[in-house]
Amino acid sequence: MPPHVSADRSAAQPPGRGSVDALITQTRRLKGDMDAVRQDTRNDAADPQGRWQRALCDLALHQLDDLDTHLAQLRDGPPPVPAAEPAPAAPVASRRESLLSRVGSAEWNLLTDEAVWSEELYGILGRDPAAPPLTLDELPALVLDEDRPKLTAMVTDCLIDARPIDGEFRVVRPDGEHRTVHMMGEPVLDAEGGTTSMWAVLRDVSELRRSQRAVRESRDSLQRQRHRAQTEHRLAVEFQEAVLPPWRGSPRLPHQGPRSLDLAAHYLPAATTSQIGGDWYDALELSDGQTLLSVGDLTGHGPTVTSTTAMLLGALRGMAMAGTRPAQLMVWLNQLLDATVQPALGSAVCCRYRPDTRTLLWAQAGHPVPLLFRDGTGRRLDAPEGVLLGATARAAYGQAEETLEEGDLLLLHTDGLAPADRLLGLAPRLDRARTAQECVRMVVEECGESERADDACVLVARVTR
């Protein structure tokens, strides 16, 4: 590693606000000093050398104004994005030559109708150096139609009212390229105060204006993206609140008699994105007294995924109320997801709990299996056959049955929560919990504190009788 390159990552970070403020202060102090120098050159108004010095002072002031603007954008503008690897710096002489090639000068003698152009001005305007310079009457021929009135007004003010010139216009070079030119100049007066000639310094500011336009467009684009992201997030949250049970965090089933299940659930959003994902959970009391428990996850984020989740949950609830068994539920959900306009992949677990026999009938589609905790230990349920929803149109799904006991704890979750081994390690703590809500709180404390890369859901059901 070269000695001037630090391995410390902080060295690659952009300058802090304090550093930029210090640079802005120095730039503005230098502008004040340069303006004082410019005022001193006014004593040499009749001397061509003095005019050139004053023009250079004007140019330096404009350059400092641009620097001041860029520093303010660096301090106050949008967050920096990863930049491409910088190209090797050009030699000092080359950079100086490039700067000077963008500045040219001209003088038009009104008494002789002669014009004198510098070599650099020919290059800026794309003219043949062997050709005679254009007169003031011919100059507008190079300017875009919509900018000609601006140039005419500047020249007229200078020649008639002896006002200094300071303005921009766009020219069309013979090769068809458009360039933006900043012209500064003054009239030269005779002893009686009449205008005898006009001189000007012309600076090619095309690259500067392009960069400013790019900065402005980038800022506008960033603002539009932020507004769109905020709108999408709001819509996704509204969708999710409509889709997930209204008793989020503390589900309650409308039993008329003693409860057979104590339920609790929680949704954990991702920390790395502001968009809502496709994770969901549900608990529904069916007409035959059984209970439907389900969790699932659709790939992707945003309103489209959330609306697809709403469609799947609506279909799941409707088919479950009609008495459809879990394996057949998965078959139909798979066909529904495969037939959507915007195909997606998803995983799910669906369980039907029958309280009179304490039996759990369940099926899964490429999803983490339920975890069963009993007497301070935990285990995975043996998974029946089942592939991801939407993976293939003719998928078959198996079905499994498990007999539960009073005090058993069933934990359903999506894959963004934590590895199963980590959750099974909570068995001694979960055994001491008195309610399902306490169990969910323990799981969230263990798995939800660190920054999450993906959304996750957890649903806990305790057998109470």
Side-chain angles (χ1 to χ4, degrees):
M1 179 178 294
H4 63 282
V5 177
S6 172
D8 186 356
R9 290 182 60 187
S10 63
Q13 300 301 314
R17 185 183 181 95
S19 300
V20 176
D21 285 337
L23 289 173
I24 292 175
T25 299
Q26 294 176 16
T27 300
R28 292 176 180 174
R29 184 183 298 115
L30 185 57
K31 284 167 59 179
D33 295 340
M34 184 58 66
D35 187 60
V37 173
R38 183 184 182 281
Q39 296 299 326
D40 291 341
T41 63
R42 287 190 175 277
N43 298 328
D44 302 322
D47 180 16
Q49 181 67 21
R51 294 201 305 267
W52 176 248
Q53 290 176 351
R54 187 164 62 256
L56 289 179
C57 288
D58 289 337
L59 176 61
L61 284 170
H62 278 280
Q63 295 277 18
L64 290 171
D65 283 336
D66 293 336
L67 178 60
D68 192 0
T69 300
H70 285 317
L71 288 172
Q73 290 171 342
L74 177 62
R75 180 192 61 190
D76 303 326
V81 297
E85 183 176 349
V92 174
S94 175
R95 295 200 301 270
R96 182 174 181 272
E97 180 182 356
S98 176
L99 175 61
L100 293 177
S101 67
R102 296 197 297 269
V103 180
S105 62
E107 185 165 358
W108 290 273
N109 191 311
L110 303 182
L111 302 180
T112 63
D113 203 26
E114 293 178 340
V116 178
W117 283 11
S118 70
E119 180 181 349
E120 293 78 12
L121 184 56
Y122 278 97
I124 291 172
L125 300 180
R127 305 283 295 177
D128 183 359
L134 299 181
T135 65
L136 284 176
D137 291 334
E138 297 169 331
L139 186 61
L142 301 180
V143 181
L144 287 178
D145 291 345
E146 53 266 38
D147 288 358
R148 286 178 185 171
K150 187 187 304 183
L151 174 63
T152 300
M154 287 192 296
V155 172
T156 301
D157 289 344
C158 181
L159 299 182
I160 303 301
D161 299 328
R163 295 179 182 175
I165 293 175
D166 190 347
E168 291 183 8
F169 51 87
R170 292 165 295 170
V171 300
V172 183
R173 292 158 54 110
D175 59 5
E177 182 182 7
H178 290 190
R179 307 297 292 180
T180 301
V181 176
H182 184 194
M183 183 166 74
M184 296 178 296
E186 292 182 356
V188 178
L189 307 178
D190 58 19
E192 286 76 26
T195 303
T196 60
S197 63
M198 187 187 83
W199 64 269
V201 173
L202 294 94
R203 173 188 172 207
D204 186 348
V205 294
S206 304
E207 299 299 331
L208 175 61
R209 297 298 173 251
R210 269 196 287 267
S211 67
Q212 290 175 336
R213 185 165 56 252
V215 169
R216 183 171 59 252
E217 292 173 353
S218 297
R219 182 182 290 110
D220 292 344
S221 176
L222 180 60
Q223 291 175 345
R224 289 193 297 270
Q225 290 175 6
R226 286 173 174 169
H227 177 71
R228 183 166 59 250
Q230 291 170 352
T231 301
E232 290 182 352
H233 182 265
R234 176 177 54 80
L235 291 174
V237 169
E238 291 174 356
F239 267 129
Q240 188 186 60
E241 290 177 346
V243 169
L244 294 184
W247 28 250
R248 182 188 305 183
S250 183
R252 293 288 182 268
L253 298 177
H255 291 287
Q256 298 300 318
R259 291 185 300 162
S260 60
L261 291 176
D262 176 22
L263 300 173
H266 195 78
Y267 175 87
L268 295 91
T272 56
T273 177
S274 61
Q275 292 189 317
I276 300 297
D279 292 62
W280 51 268
Y281 62 84
D282 196 18
L284 179 67
E285 189 176 43
L286 305 176
S287 57
D288 57 4
Q290 299 186 43
T291 300
L292 175 73
L293 304 175
S294 62
V295 296
D297 181 12
L298 288 181
T299 57
H301 294 80
T304 300
V305 172
T306 312
S307 63
T308 304
T309 302
M311 175 192 69
L312 286 182
L313 266 179
L316 175 65
R317 291 166 178 169
M319 291 186 291
M321 290 295 291
T324 307
R325 292 162 66 88
Q328 186 61 50
L329 276 175
M330 291 300 183
V331 172
W332 286 342
L333 288 179
N334 177 66
Q335 293 176 355
L336 179 63
L337 193 60
D338 182 69
T340 55
V341 176
Q342 295 182 321
L345 291 175
S347 66
V349 165
C350 290
C351 310
R352 286 182 71 106
Y353 177 68
R354 183 174 177 178
D356 57 346
T357 61
R358 294 198 182 113
T359 54
L360 186 77
L361 195 64
W362 69 284
Q364 64 86 28
H367 197 85
V369 299
L371 304 180
L372 177 60
F373 297 86
R374 177 181 295 167
D375 298 329
T377 63
R379 65 178 176 89
R380 301 175 180 84
L381 298 186
D382 294 330
E385 178 185 5
V387 299
L388 287 171
L389 300 174
T392 177
R394 298 182 179 180
Y397 293 89
Q399 192 167 266
E401 184 173 322
E402 188 78 24
T403 300
L404 304 182
E405 299 178 2
E406 185 175 350
D408 280 356
L409 181 73
L410 191 69
L411 190 152
L412 311 180
H413 68 96
T414 55
D415 58 5
L417 182 64
D421 290 342
R422 185 176 176 186
L423 295 172
L424 291 173
L426 296 175
R429 294 175 57 190
L430 296 177
D431 187 56
R432 294 191 296 269
R434 292 172 297 177
T435 65
Q437 187 63 53
E438 284 186 35
C439 295
V440 166
R441 188 179 303 113
M442 291 177 184
V443 172
V444 172
E445 289 174 353
E446 175 68 22
C447 308
E449 295 299 327
S450 60
E451 289 195 355
R452 316 191 57 77
D454 196 6
D455 303 78
C457 287
V458 58
L459 173 62
V460 168
R462 290 179 72 250
V463 179
T464 58
R465 66 175 179 88

